[in-house]
Amino acid sequence: MCATRTQDIDATVEQAEAIRKAGGDLVRVAVDSAKDVEALAEIRRQTRANLVVDLQENYRLAALVAPHVDKVRYNPGHLYHHEREKPVREKVRFLAEVAREHDCAIRVGVNCGSVDPELKARHPEDDIAAMVESALQHCALLDDLGFDRYVVSLKDSHPRKVIEGNTRFAALRPDVPLHLGVTEAGIPPEGVIKTRVAFEQLLSRGIGDTLRVSLTLPNPRKHEEITVGRQILADVAAGRFRSVPVFDDDKLNIISCPSCSRVENEAFVGLAEQVREMTAYARDHALTIAVMGCRVNGPGETDDADLGLWCGPTTVNLKRGPESIGSFRYDEVLDRLRLELDRLIAARGGAGGKTSDA
Ligand code: SF4
């Protein structure tokens, strides 16, 4: 995925080419505005990379981007935000018609952190079931419309949920191609380990047709996502398995988004690294800290974390679960994060037996 500003055409073309040359078959570009669409058309002219755009809440944007891309991705959990009175079936029909007209494929990208609220309510104890049901529903909608150029993804930041969700889905719809990914896997090497754990488990069972590696990396290194993915594929093909097949649930888990053009302050990647360093003392506590790059997905994607940070242009918004703690300057947020982390550890009776003085 390109993390450059889409309207910075030169930088985005350069990054798309770097990803393509590293072995990426499909490059994702973020589009949020009419100016981004204009830039996308020019990027299309200047790169040989196959392009995909991820539709956020404005599904109608598909009509503008489809002429310039090979695939569009929509998130079923985002189809509820706009035109609430309109049935989801009609929105999917619109997307399928646009894709058909412009010879595009579709990815139904279900994300555990943003599942359709109705399905979440139906499966309060089992978010994987909600994720799988959402994917099945949308496959049925596309099947009814006679649209078969689609692929499904079921992603989460935890490899266990990725393995479980994809395994359940594959058992029910073995005919549907699956795109694998551990979303917001974070900074290497932890992000690589989470990804490898999930991919090795799934690929070795014959599950998965395409994949994406999602790492928090500075722009000049974004293409390394491809190198990591290709290496995992080569290892699995050769029978070289490196992962301990269980990702440790009892430890501190730091998740961070891979960044994209929506990042409003480039300090984000550095902040994610500082969070990892600063919180090392709490490594034996079963807590999750999420660090997200923007206001588009940051507020929602941090809801399920014990502590969440999402980055704005000049401040970082700190959360405890879904509750906001406040906005802090980039140079002051780490101190407040540490305070909140200590409070959480103390509130849990110091489970894991560590304090911040360690
Ligand atoms: S959280 Fe925002 S910046 Fe990060 S990948 Fe998602 S949309 Fe892009």
Side-chain angles (χ1 to χ4, degrees), residues 52-86:
V52 54
V53 158
D54 183 14
L55 303 171
Q56 289 290 319
E57 294 166 9
N58 182 7
Y59 72 97
R60 291 196 156 274
L61 203 55
L64 300 179
V65 302
H68 313 296
V69 296
D70 303 283
K71 191 192 220 180
V72 288
R73 178 257 174 158
Y74 76 91
N75 177 344
H78 283 166
L79 288 185
Y80 291 79
H81 298 287
H82 282 223
E83 303 175 26
R84 285 173 184 250
E85 68 298 338
K86 193 171 195 173

Side-chain angles (χ1 to χ4, degrees), residues 18 24 88 112 143 146 161 163 165 250 276 316-317 322 328 333:
V88 166
C112 213
D143 292 345
K161 289 190 182 178
I163 295 165
D250 301 329
R276 183 178 61 174
V316 181
N317 299 274
F328 301 89
V333 71

